[in-house]
Amino acid sequence: MDLLNTLVDKGLRRELPTREEALAVLATSDDELLDVVTAAGKVRRQWFGRRVKLNYLVNLKSGLCPEDCSYCSQRLGSKAGILKYTWLKPDQASEAAAAGLAGGAKRVCLVASGRGPTDRDVDRVSDTIKAIKDQNEGVEVCACLGLLSDGQAERLREAGADAYNHNLNTSESTYGDITTTHTYADRVDTVQKAHAAGLSACSGLIAGMGESDEDLVDVVYSLRALDPDSVPVNFLIPVEGTPLAKEWNLTPQRCLRILAMVRFVCPDVEVRIAGGREVHLRTMQPLALHLANSIFLGDYLTTEGQAGKADLEMIADAGFEVEGTGQVTLPEHRVTAGGGCGSHADAGCGSHEGGGCGPCGSAADEQAPAAARVPETARAAEARTDLVAVRRRGAGTDLAPNA
């Protein structure tokens, strides 16, 4: 396909595709799917070889969030039967992180539900970062605590945090349909605060909330303009007890097209398959490794993932290798640019259960009808509620974590 040849050439040059080209990737047929994966795989290998970075989530504080993000099981008014607990102590969080690091994870993502941290919360997380780094040489720590106030990003950086996650989640035009207690601009501001403080910015999206192809392209172009180092791609986990529990809009094929589009638009950033990987990609997860260079190991914030051992076997069987602590994730041109995403003078380079959350929810009665926004070309997706299991192990429990 001329389209794919053009996108590969642009990806190898770090050139931004046109919106029409990005939309065309999402509109390709199932017969063209392997061609799309092959093309995007060439771009992935150019910048990241066959390395897969492993990340591990530690949910520092679960549930009881005052925000109303529709997708989130920790949201205000959630009826989901998730674990609820207040802040883990630094030694508890460090112990939880150690399990993921022993399983091969390179980065620990410290997540806490809530609108944003108080200064006391920043102190707590700072102590936790120190505890983890004191016991694990070379580990990367990413914090995900919600909306940041002035000076908090700098304090986290001084405490040893390497990165900060705050996802845009969806397009600006539809953001009010999923959340009413904060704005899209609030999220952009927090990503910019993290970047300005010298933290590696991590910001991504959630697919499967009833958005259109145009919404997906909009949010990914916004992400490129924000220039994060890593872009987590979450696939909605429809958890019972949340407003989006009935939204089963994704097929494995659509997930692969979305990942390919993200890779073409952000060719040299860490693209991470985050929440919903097992639920929506299912047996096609290995193909997704040809598009993304990063995944979460084991469980997510409030739901279970597949066994950590299965993740490692999948990576090896697909012919990839786990990225070691001594290896640099980002391409050299991005590292030498100061740890940011590098420069894209032509356009610049935007939680869910996986890629970090920040503020959670949206009132069901204020939500736009999702079915009206789903692409007409999308094939009906099967509801796989059997694959959604609430996490009952690891952080906040007395049971061993999955890593």
Side-chain angles (χ1 to χ4, degrees):
M1 295 173 65
D2 289 342
L3 167 68
L4 295 179
N5 290 333
T6 297
L7 287 170
V8 170
D9 288 344
K10 287 186 174 183
L12 299 183
R13 298 195 304 267
R14 296 185 288 138
E15 182 181 336
L16 183 68
T18 66
R19 286 182 54 84
E20 290 71 23
E21 289 166 343
L23 286 166
V25 173
L26 297 177
T28 53
S29 69
D30 286 352
D31 288 341
E32 299 165 316
L33 182 62
L34 288 180
D35 294 331
V36 172
V37 172
T38 298
K42 291 178 181 178
V43 179
R44 181 251 201 263
R45 289 191 299 278
Q46 165 72 19
W47 302 114
F48 299 96
R50 301 189 73 84
R51 292 175 285 114
V52 177
K53 182 176 182 177
L54 297 182
N55 308 268
Y56 190 70
L57 282 165
V58 178
N59 199 358
L60 296 177
K61 179 168 72 76
S62 183
L64 309 175
C65 183
E67 302 298 294
D68 70 353
C69 310
S70 302
Y71 51 81
C72 185
S73 59
Q74 304 183 79
R75 71 188 294 273
L76 177 70
S78 171
K79 294 179 174 58
I82 62 167
L83 293 169
K84 295 182 176 68
Y85 53 87
T86 190
W87 289 94
L88 297 181
K89 295 178 180 177
D91 60 332
Q92 294 173 314
S94 181
E95 182 179 355
L101 296 171
K106 180 176 179 178
R107 171 175 286 189
V108 173
C109 302
L110 302 175
V111 187
S113 63
R115 180 178 179 84
T118 64
D119 287 341
R120 184 181 177 189
D121 293 336
V122 173
D123 289 339
R124 285 191 182 101
V125 176
S126 296
D127 290 343
T128 297
I129 293 169
K130 184 177 186 303
I132 292 172
K133 291 212 160 189
D134 283 350
Q135 296 176 31
N136 301 278
E137 185 178 355
V139 65
E140 297 177 10
V141 176
C142 178
C144 176
L145 312 174
L147 301 173
L148 293 174
S149 301
D150 290 346
Q152 290 183 328
E154 286 79 4
R155 289 178 59 198
L156 289 167
R157 184 76 181 97
E158 291 169 5
D162 300 285
Y164 195 83
N165 166 262
H166 199 62
N167 295 332
L168 296 188
N169 291 329
T170 193
S171 67
E172 183 175 11
S173 63
T174 60
Y175 194 82
D177 297 337
I178 65 164
T179 303
T180 66
T181 48
H182 62 271
T183 67
Y184 182 90
D186 290 333
R187 286 187 171 266
V188 170
D189 178 66
T190 285
V191 178
Q192 291 173 335
K193 279 185 168 71
H195 223 161
L199 292 165
S200 175
C202 173
S203 188
L205 65 142
I206 305 173
M209 298 190 291
E211 69 282 335
S212 67
D213 285 357
E214 288 76 11
D215 290 323
L216 286 170
V217 170
D218 282 350
V219 68
V220 176
Y221 273 66
S222 294
L223 289 168
R224 173 152 173 163
L226 277 178
D227 207 19
D229 288 329
S230 55
V231 175
V233 180
N234 293 277
F235 301 110
L236 177 72
I237 303 177
V239 178
E240 286 298 323
T242 65
L244 298 185
K246 306 302 180 186
E247 293 294 322
W248 289 88
N249 303 312
L250 298 171
T251 63
Q253 292 81 4
R254 181 158 175 79
C255 292
L256 290 171
R257 292 187 192 96
I258 291 168
L259 287 168
M261 185 270 288
V262 174
R263 175 55 72 197
F264 286 130
V265 176
C266 295
D268 58 340
V269 308
E270 176 190 342
V271 175
R272 183 181 312 146
I273 321 172
R277 162 168 63 93
E278 301 87 343
V279 175
H280 295 293
L281 281 163
R282 301 191 287 277
T283 59
M284 297 182 78
Q285 290 180 67
L287 273 182
L289 296 178
H290 291 272
L291 309 170
N293 62 295
S294 180
I295 66 171
F296 279 103
L297 177 72
D299 293 335
Y300 301 103
L301 297 176
T302 64
T303 60
E304 293 185 357
Q306 69 186 24
K309 183 173 183 289
D311 289 334
L312 297 176
E313 289 176 347
M314 175 183 71
I315 292 169
D317 290 347
F320 292 87
E321 62 180 26
V322 173
E323 183 175 292
T325 56
Q327 294 176 294
V328 178
T329 301
L330 296 174
E332 184 178 357
H333 64 271
R334 297 186 74 86
V335 176
T336 55
C341 244
S343 64
H344 300 276
D346 54 343
C349 220
S351 133
H352 174 50
E353 290 302 322
C357 68
C360 318
S362 173
D365 58 348
E366 297 182 19
Q367 187 177 323
R373 302 196 306 271
V374 177
E376 294 180 3
T377 55
R379 191 173 65 219
E382 179 186 0
R384 291 298 305 271
T385 56
D386 58 306
L387 295 178
V388 180
V390 171
R391 179 175 68 83
R392 300 295 184 198
R393 60 196 177 195
T397 78
D398 294 327
L399 298 178
N402 170 30

